[in-house]
Amino acid sequence: MPDKRMTEDEVVAQLADGMTIGIGGWGSRRKPMSLVRAILRSDLKDLTIVSYGGPDIGLLCAAGKAKKVVYGFVSLDSIPLEPHFRVARQTGSVEVVELDEGAFYLGLMAAAHRVPFYPTRAGLGSDMLKNNPEIRTITSPYDDGEELVAIPARHLDVCLLHMNRADAAGNGQFLGPDLFFDDLFAMAADKTYMSCEKIVPTENLLDEGSIHTLKINRIFVDGVIEAPRGAHFTECPPDYDRDEAFQREYAATARDPELWEAFQEKYLRTANHEEYLAAVDAANQERAAAKGGAA
Amino acid sequence: MSAPTLDEICVVNLADAFRGDGEILCNPIGTVPMCAGRLARATWEPDMVYTDGVSVLPANDFPVGMPDAPRVPESYVPYRTIFDIVWSGKRHVVMGASQMDMWGNQNFAAIGDDYSKPKVQLLGMRGAPGNLINHVTSYWIPNHSTRVFVPEVDVVSGPGYSRTRELPEASRQFHEIRRIVTKLAVMDFETPDNRMRLRSVHPGVTVDDVVENTGFELVIEGEVPESRPPTDEELRVLREVIDPTDARKAEFE
């Protein structure tokens, strides 16, 4: 079997300005954050980001990497509206394709299955069609003659995922409650780069989860990146919960350019994932010490 | 059992939206709606299934606001399955709204005229376009004011009857806005032209209060009844089983 192990920076070296990049996970859940941060460190620009959005979209907007975002929502879950994304929208700094969440799924599935569209009723009567005039309707070729929305295939140049476990060949495993749409993201993309909490030997993949958790298979994966806590600060159950204190700190930086600058300096201008984690741990220790001191 | 409070009046009147739904996915979003759905299921609509908000359908009466309470899973419903259920039609959702007009057009996407640069970005489309066109929808809109109930919404995320009327019959066959509950009243669309009607007013609220706080003309037919109080059994189940930590009251403080 092939060995597809690589680093975050090696993934970024495969990317180019203007690419359409799909990001797996959902809201502030199991996002490939070490890969997102590697993009933030790069010179990449004019990206189109396709995501059930969370801090991935917020960070890429705030850092000026995203020219366009395609989403059903952009949320931090415990903070319902992603504040950096909100700023980007309200200043008009990013183009958007705002879709019904289910229509978003159909666009990925159409790309995965290499058909131009999937039909649905979702969108009829709403402003989803008015705001996205490129989305067309189609008349059923059967006797019902019904008019349906043809959700166009959402083809991705690259897809980034984060899994709980993987083997070096690119078989990925989710151990949490939901795969979300990560398998479709992988299939919709020309290249898929998958980070994981831990790379394990193939024969150990069933040690922690049933066969049903092996939902990403290597024919759709081009690179595997071992990134312990790689989804931080989003949740990655059962390995860890969301770092809510850190998320609150991140969210607060949307209010004030100075706070955002300090946040970037402290966490995002770190050289790699290990340095980022060291900065996070140091900050958490300070927070704990401050709390202890106050008590 | 002490007298019902406003939150409890709202919960049972929203629960009534699920009456007769039978074996479908009851999918209210938010604390008060979840209280309503779970109360209906725990009492007089027992065949419904409901989600824990993550990926499990609990068979037991799982309390709101207590994510670590014991669950007896009866099925697995990751998000993808939820969308499949949306399209199957076997679902009744309760959503919120930042704006709504007299035809039930709902906006929780953004405020402002310019879609490329909204004055306030809200939730986005989320699942509203697909929900409305595929199955029954009700709304919990606590803040009953002229800022929310407006003549015209800025963005239509969930289409109301003025939008679906323009669609062919086949496209609108599954569209139904069943009920709207606010802190003042209950509304529905049971009128010949599907305009919003004042169905009942909560105890202590007058029809004039509702009219003053609504930015368009509501259909008002004769004497508007008072929203019903919970039964003793409903109150007991709501307070002791569904919401023992009073999570529902947070929206009423």
Side-chain angles (χ1 to χ4, degrees):
Chain A
M1 290 203 301
D3 184 345
K4 298 174 184 167
R5 285 176 291 179
M6 58 198 295
T7 67
E8 284 90 355
D9 290 329
E10 285 166 348
V11 172
V12 168
Q14 303 297 312
L15 309 182
D17 293 349
M19 272 189 170
T20 295
I21 299 180
I23 301 179
W26 172 283
S28 190
R29 309 182 200 186
R30 205 164 40 71
K31 286 284 177 182
M33 297 300 282
S34 74
L35 289 165
V36 169
R37 281 190 305 273
I39 294 176
L40 297 176
R41 290 195 297 270
S42 75
D43 296 328
L44 288 165
K45 59 179 191 299
D46 296 336
L47 302 174
T48 292
I49 306 298
V50 178
S51 173
Y52 281 107
D56 49 343
I57 286 189
L59 281 163
L60 290 163
C61 285
K65 298 293 181 193
K67 183 179 180 221
K68 183 173 170 182
V69 291
V70 182
Y71 60 90
F73 60 84
V74 186
S75 171
L76 298 176
D77 292 302
S78 50
I79 300 172
L81 301 170
E82 214 297 345
H84 283 283
F85 167 70
R86 216 172 175 187
V87 169
R89 279 289 277 145
Q90 290 168 193
T91 55
S93 67
V94 67
E95 294 171 40
V96 301
V97 176
E98 188 174 279
L99 299 169
D100 170 78
E101 295 170 6
F104 183 107
Y105 157 24
L106 293 177
L108 286 179
M109 195 162 72
H113 296 170
R114 301 187 300 171
V115 294
F117 64 87
Y118 267 115
T120 180
R121 293 191 186 88
L124 294 171
S126 84
D127 281 350
M128 185 181 97
L129 296 181
K130 183 180 121 190
N131 293 335
N132 299 289
E134 74 282 5
I135 301 178
R136 301 182 195 169
T137 58
I138 185 169
T139 304
S140 164
Y142 296 103
D143 290 345
D144 57 272
E146 189 172 344
E147 190 182 9
L148 297 160
V149 181
I151 302 297
R154 189 65 55 188
H155 176 261
L156 309 171
D157 295 315
V158 165
C159 147
L160 309 176
L161 304 177
H162 186 74
M163 288 285 131
N164 298 93
R165 305 287 176 273
D167 67 10
N171 294 303
Q173 179 177 43
F174 80 109
L175 296 171
D178 202 327
L179 174 66
F180 308 119
F181 297 81
D182 287 5
D183 54 337
L184 292 181
F185 273 100
M187 294 171 75
D190 290 340
K191 296 275 183 189
T192 293
Y193 300 101
M194 174 174 69
S195 58
C196 63
E197 289 300 311
K198 193 176 174 191
I199 293 178
V200 298
T202 307
E203 56 270 30
N204 292 115
L205 280 171
L206 293 182
D207 288 357
E208 293 178 84
S210 73
I211 190 74
H212 312 92
T213 62
L214 298 180
K215 289 291 281 183
I216 306 293
N217 84 63
R218 64 187 170 86
I219 65 175
F220 298 110
V221 176
D222 299 90
V224 182
I225 304 91
E226 185 168 59
R229 293 164 69 198
H232 181 271
F233 50 91
T234 72
E235 68 170 36
C236 188
D239 293 313
Y240 46 88
D241 293 331
R242 186 177 302 124
D243 186 342
E244 295 286 359
F246 189 94
Q247 176 161 291
R248 280 193 295 275
E249 181 182 346
Y250 160 73
T253 64
R255 284 199 303 269
D256 180 343
E258 278 182 32
L259 287 176
W260 169 235
E261 172 57 29
F263 182 89
Q264 291 184 89
E265 187 58 32
K266 191 168 175 188
Y267 301 113
L268 302 181
R269 291 183 192 132
T270 46
N272 52 40
H273 182 52
E274 291 68 35
E275 277 196 19
Y276 167 81
L277 291 180
V280 169
D281 288 342
N284 279 341
Q285 277 163 16
E286 275 171 39
R287 226 187 309 262
K291 219 175 177 181
Chain B
M1 197 70 54
S2 59
T5 49
L6 177 59
D7 53 289
E8 291 159 344
I9 302 279
C10 291
V11 166
V12 292
N13 282 274
L14 189 53
D16 281 346
F18 293 104
R19 221 171 257 281
D21 275 349
E23 203 162 27
I24 58 137
L25 172 60
C26 164
N27 205 166
I29 297 162
T31 302
V32 166
M34 284 195 286
C35 286
R38 292 179 195 188
L39 176 65
R41 192 186 93 127
T43 52
W44 33 262
E45 205 56 51
D47 290 346
M48 295 195 297
V49 299
Y50 73 101
T51 83
D52 67 344
V54 182
S55 60
V56 163
L57 301 181
N60 57 323
D61 291 317
F62 184 65
V64 301
M66 297 173 69
D68 298 326
R71 288 171 303 183
V72 180
E74 62 170 302
S75 191
Y76 175 56
V77 286
Y79 284 121
R80 191 176 311 185
T81 304
I82 297 290
F83 293 129
D84 294 338
I85 295 172
V86 168
W87 300 325
S88 82
K90 290 198 174 189
R91 182 173 184 251
H92 181 165
V93 74
V94 180
M95 298 188 292
S98 301
Q99 292 181 323
M100 182 170 281
D101 69 16
M102 68 192 294
W103 304 107
N105 289 303
Q106 170 244 26
N107 174 22
F108 62 12
I111 300 292
D113 299 329
D114 183 357
Y115 172 71
S116 69
K117 189 182 169 183
K119 212 168 100 195
V120 184
Q121 173 70 32
L122 301 171
L123 295 176
M125 289 286 161
R126 293 237 54 155
N131 290 343
L132 266 293
I133 213 73
N134 282 293
H135 57 62
V136 178
T137 301
S138 293
Y139 290 101
W140 163 239
I141 307 176
N143 175 22
H144 194 136
S145 75
T146 52
R147 287 173 57 110
V148 176
F149 290 98
V150 293
E152 199 174 348
V153 301
D154 294 344
V155 181
V156 176
S157 38
Y161 289 97
S162 62
R163 288 295 187 92
T164 55
R165 187 187 300 141
E166 295 166 7
L167 300 172
E169 166 73 30
S171 299
R172 60 182 146 87
Q173 60 186 317
F174 307 119
H175 177 263
E176 179 187 346
I177 306 176
R178 175 85 47 88
R179 211 61 59 79
I180 296 165
V181 179
T182 73
K183 284 186 190 175
L184 297 183
V186 181
M187 276 85 72
D188 62 27
F189 297 88
E190 294 175 20
T191 51
D193 59 355
N194 296 122
R195 266 199 301 158
M196 194 186 293
R197 175 183 81 142
L198 183 57
R199 183 183 178 94
S200 67
V201 289
H202 298 339
V205 177
T206 67
V207 171
D208 285 347
D209 293 334
V210 177
V211 168
E212 268 171 41
N213 286 287
T214 306
F216 51 79
E217 194 184 339
L218 283 162
V219 175
I220 296 170
E221 296 164 337
E223 198 75 12
V224 177
E226 189 170 273
S227 305
R228 79 166 177 99
T231 64
D232 285 349
E233 174 64 2
E234 286 169 336
L235 264 190
R236 186 192 66 77
V237 172
L238 176 59
R239 291 174 181 178
E240 295 174 10
V241 180
I242 303 297
D243 186 19
T245 64
D246 288 348
R248 67 190 180 281
K249 293 187 185 291
E251 280 186 70
F252 291 82
E253 277 159 7

